[in-house]
Amino acid sequence: MTSRVEHPVHDLRQERRALRAERARVGWWRRVVRARMDLVVASAARPDDLGAGMTFSLPVDVALEVPRPAELQRALDGTDAGREVGVLPALRDLDARLARYEEGVEQALRRVTDRLVERVARDPGAMTELLPGAAGHG
């Protein structure tokens, strides 16, 4: 039986840090792509007005805060609904690819986390390599 290569705790922690940062980046991009899709759909198919039918369900001071439809429309100004709808398939494809990549990053993060936990469980003293002045550091 071959022995597994022992990875220093420091290296495993660095790998986890890099994977967590990548997970944050891909999550940000997925939110951007989904927000873009929402804007495209909102430009093409205007949602119902906010506050419609809520007259008797909300306190007056809350009902007075609802933005007017024209105010909401300004948030969508500058988009050409006819042209924008055409990008939805590409945006959906991009989101699906990002989702697959995100899942791969998540799996890699789980694997390295499991390796780190396994390594420390086998040798709790390995954590000393993270201390300042430990062998190989400084």
Side-chain angles (χ1 to χ4, degrees):
M1 181 173 173
T2 59
S3 66
R4 292 172 47 158
V5 175
E6 289 292 319
H7 295 282
V9 172
H10 175 74
D11 291 352
L12 292 170
R13 286 174 45 105
Q14 290 292 85
E15 189 175 351
R16 281 188 79 242
R17 184 174 291 125
L19 286 165
R20 285 192 327 263
E22 187 67 2
R23 179 179 60 183
R25 283 189 297 270
V26 72
W28 182 84
W29 274 110
R30 287 203 67 207
R31 288 189 306 276
V32 167
V33 169
R34 288 187 307 249
R36 177 73 191 282
M37 285 190 290
D38 287 345
L39 286 171
V40 169
V41 170
S43 295
R46 305 279 183 235
D48 292 335
D49 294 338
L50 285 176
M54 296 284 108
T55 306
F56 300 109
S57 300
L58 297 172
V60 173
D61 59 329
V62 173
L64 291 174
E65 293 296 324
V66 68
R68 301 275 184 247
E71 293 174 292
L72 295 172
Q73 177 58 44
R74 283 195 291 272
L76 298 174
D77 284 350
T79 59
D80 178 2
R83 182 181 60 83
E84 293 286 322
V85 170
V87 302
L88 277 174
L91 288 171
R92 287 187 186 118
D93 179 64
L94 179 58
D95 185 51
R97 288 175 41 221
L98 284 167
R100 289 189 299 272
Y101 178 64
E102 184 177 40
E103 179 56 31
V105 171
E106 287 286 344
Q107 288 175 5
L109 179 57
R110 281 191 295 274
R111 283 192 303 270
V112 76
T113 299
D114 290 347
R115 286 182 12 229
L116 177 61
V117 169
E118 191 177 288
R119 172 75 168 89
V120 172
R122 273 197 321 272
D123 181 14
M127 292 299 289
T128 59
E129 67 185 59
L130 299 176
L131 300 174
H137 295 283

